[in-house]
Amino acid sequence: MINVTKIKRGVVLDHIEAGKGYELFLALDLDELDEVVALLTNIPSHKYGKKDLIKIETGFEPDFKVLGLISPNTTVNIVEDGKLAKKYRMELPEEVEGILRCSNPVCITQQEEVPKIKFRLVDREKRAYACEYCDHVQIFKE
């Protein structure tokens, strides 16, 4: 088993759905950080069978909406002085902006450049979001 040492200050993203770690890594732009970042995939988990984990040794502040949308069961652990300072449990956000693109071919966002489209959650169980411009409902696929 690979051992990754404790971090003194930073963020640990735990309980990431197996296979979603790399997607989160890219969505959070972790490849652009100069600090130490460890991405572990397919870690054995009693609760989930397998999970992914990301450790970031820096004062990085993750985008909770991106985390909640991509992997809603993720736990965000904030570490200070080598100890757990805060812990957050992600869930699907009620609204997202600049993350999704509308799939409706007649939506204005398909014809014009709209940088940050807002979507509102309309069905939590189905992970369905509606576009602010055309109300087209789309399922965010896991």
Side-chain angles (χ1 to χ4, degrees):
M1 179 169 218
I2 296 174
N3 288 324
V4 177
T5 60
K6 284 184 175 182
I7 60 175
K8 293 184 173 113
R9 179 177 178 264
V11 178
V12 178
L13 304 177
D14 197 3
H15 304 109
I16 300 169
E17 192 178 319
K20 294 289 183 182
Y22 188 64
E23 186 178 344
L24 276 178
F25 181 88
L26 294 176
L28 295 171
D29 297 322
L30 297 177
D31 54 329
E32 296 177 12
L33 292 179
D34 288 332
E35 290 82 5
V36 175
V37 178
L39 167 62
L40 302 167
T41 60
N42 297 316
I43 301 168
S45 168
H46 295 293
K47 190 173 184 178
Y48 299 108
K50 288 183 183 180
K51 67 178 180 177
D52 292 353
L53 182 131
I54 300 174
K55 286 188 175 187
I56 309 152
E57 192 150 0
T58 179
F60 176 79
E61 293 184 26
D63 184 330
F64 290 117
K65 288 187 177 186
V66 169
L67 286 168
L69 184 64
I70 295 174
S71 184
N73 293 321
T74 299
T75 303
V76 178
N77 300 299
I78 308 297
V79 178
E80 294 175 6
D81 297 321
K83 296 182 181 177
L84 179 64
K86 295 178 187 168
K87 189 173 197 165
Y88 303 97
R89 185 90 158 130
M90 295 298 93
E91 57 183 46
L92 282 175
E94 292 296 321
E95 183 179 277
V96 294
E97 181 178 359
I99 301 170
L100 301 175
R101 303 266 325 144
C102 186
S103 62
N104 181 357
V106 296
C107 181
I108 190 69
T109 63
Q110 296 290 334
Q111 313 304 316
E112 296 180 16
E113 183 64 33
V114 181
K116 292 188 174 185
I117 306 166
K118 287 183 186 176
F119 287 81
R120 71 183 181 292
L121 183 63
V122 293
D123 188 326
R124 184 171 300 282
E125 198 169 299
K126 291 180 181 177
R127 296 180 75 172
Y129 284 84
C131 172
E132 74 173 316
Y133 290 97
C134 68
D135 284 327
H136 174 71
V137 175
Q138 61 192 50
I139 308 297
F140 182 75
K141 297 187 187 326
E142 299 184 49

